[in-house]
Amino acid sequence: MPKTYSDEERNQIITKLKREANILMLEKGVKKTTVDELVKRVGIPKGTFYLFYPSKEMLLYDVTQDFHEEVDAYIEAGVKRTLMEKGKLLTPDVDLSDCVEEFTDVILGAMEITFTSCLKVVLEPEAMQLILSKLPEDVLAKHLQEDSNIGGGAIKAVAQAKGLDVTALTGSFMAIIFGGMYKREIGEKNWRESIRYLIKGLVMQLVL
């Protein structure tokens, strides 16, 4: 008879699985992250894993979603904080020219979260495809919808207030993220400032 777990035990196991999945993805990538090693690190039987997740890919997706939500929340809070401090409302005629530096730093901070988590691994096309190919249709549809909602909708709202193409804007942010993955080629010392220049250029087009 399968062991039953209390809510607290379930939460602890899920937390440990997510933590180890993030570490393994950073160490070995998506393909080489295995259920066998995950359960060994967490200290649970292999059969127990499937009480929590139907597949390795669903766990990895959950982990990346946690970081995705953290990034979105970071951007949303930063944008809202900046607008509140400057006493501004998002209307088509609002002047956001004095928000450039603040918006730039908020988005840079969010990208630094991306580059220090498993998100940077999953953003590689092969890794992304490995995960997405095993997701249920409803989960996949939700993922595609959320991908266009940068910053919990905060950046989207700014873009819409300015009459900009949200899809193109999303693609521009993704281009910066992909470019930022070449940290060694850009130069470790110059990486942060180089990415900041790119973000600032995009923010200026967004708000001016």
Side-chain angles (χ1 to χ4, degrees):
M1 183 176 179
K3 180 179 177 180
T4 57
Y5 295 92
S6 66
D7 288 343
E8 183 179 355
E9 288 173 325
R10 290 180 64 85
N11 289 335
Q12 287 176 350
I13 291 172
I14 289 172
T15 298
K16 289 177 181 178
L17 283 169
K18 288 183 174 181
R19 181 190 65 215
E20 295 304 327
N22 179 55
I23 293 170
L24 278 172
M25 278 193 280
L26 285 169
E27 290 178 352
K28 299 184 175 184
V30 169
K31 194 172 185 178
K32 293 183 178 179
T33 295
T34 66
V35 173
D36 286 337
E37 188 155 5
L38 282 165
V39 298
K40 180 179 178 182
R41 289 188 175 210
V42 174
I44 59 174
K46 188 172 182 178
T48 298
F49 175 88
Y50 295 102
L51 295 177
F52 297 92
Y53 290 98
S55 66
K56 173 190 83 172
E57 289 76 17
M58 195 65 221
L59 166 61
L60 302 189
Y61 174 75
D62 253 12
V63 176
T64 59
Q65 282 301 100
D66 284 352
F67 283 109
H68 193 184
E69 289 169 9
E70 181 181 344
V71 167
D72 282 347
Y74 185 96
I75 295 175
E76 184 175 24
V79 169
K80 287 182 176 179
R81 182 178 63 250
T82 300
L83 293 174
M84 184 175 66
E85 288 174 353
K86 295 181 180 294
K88 297 178 183 291
L89 296 175
L90 281 181
T91 59
D93 59 344
V94 65
D95 179 9
L96 297 174
S97 59
D98 58 342
C99 298
V100 171
E101 297 299 331
E102 288 87 349
F103 284 177
T104 298
D105 286 332
V106 165
I107 296 170
L108 178 60
M111 288 193 176
E112 288 177 321
I113 295 172
T114 299
F115 294 132
T116 54
S117 73
C118 62
L119 285 175
K120 73 173 184 178
V121 176
V122 176
L123 284 171
E124 296 173 1
E126 182 181 358
M128 177 71 75
Q129 185 56 35
L130 282 171
I131 294 177
L132 296 184
S133 65
K134 300 292 180 69
L135 295 183
E137 287 298 324
D138 59 329
V139 176
L140 182 58
K142 182 181 178 184
H143 164 76
L144 295 174
Q145 174 62 34
E146 289 175 345
D147 256 7
S148 65
N149 224 19
I150 300 174
I155 297 298
K156 184 177 180 179
V158 174
Q160 289 176 332
K162 291 295 182 177
L164 299 177
D165 185 330
V166 176
T167 302
L169 181 68
T170 301
S172 298
F173 277 115
M174 291 304 297
I176 293 175
I177 290 173
F178 284 122
M181 293 169 69
Y182 293 92
K183 192 171 186 177
R184 186 176 61 183
E185 288 78 5
I186 294 172
E188 297 274 344
K189 292 182 179 179
N190 300 321
W191 180 86
R192 191 177 191 279
E193 198 58 29
S194 297
I195 295 299
R196 193 179 190 281
Y197 273 127
L198 291 173
I199 295 170
K200 186 174 180 179
L202 190 56
V203 169
M204 289 175 70
Q205 293 181 71
L206 177 64
V207 304
L208 297 183

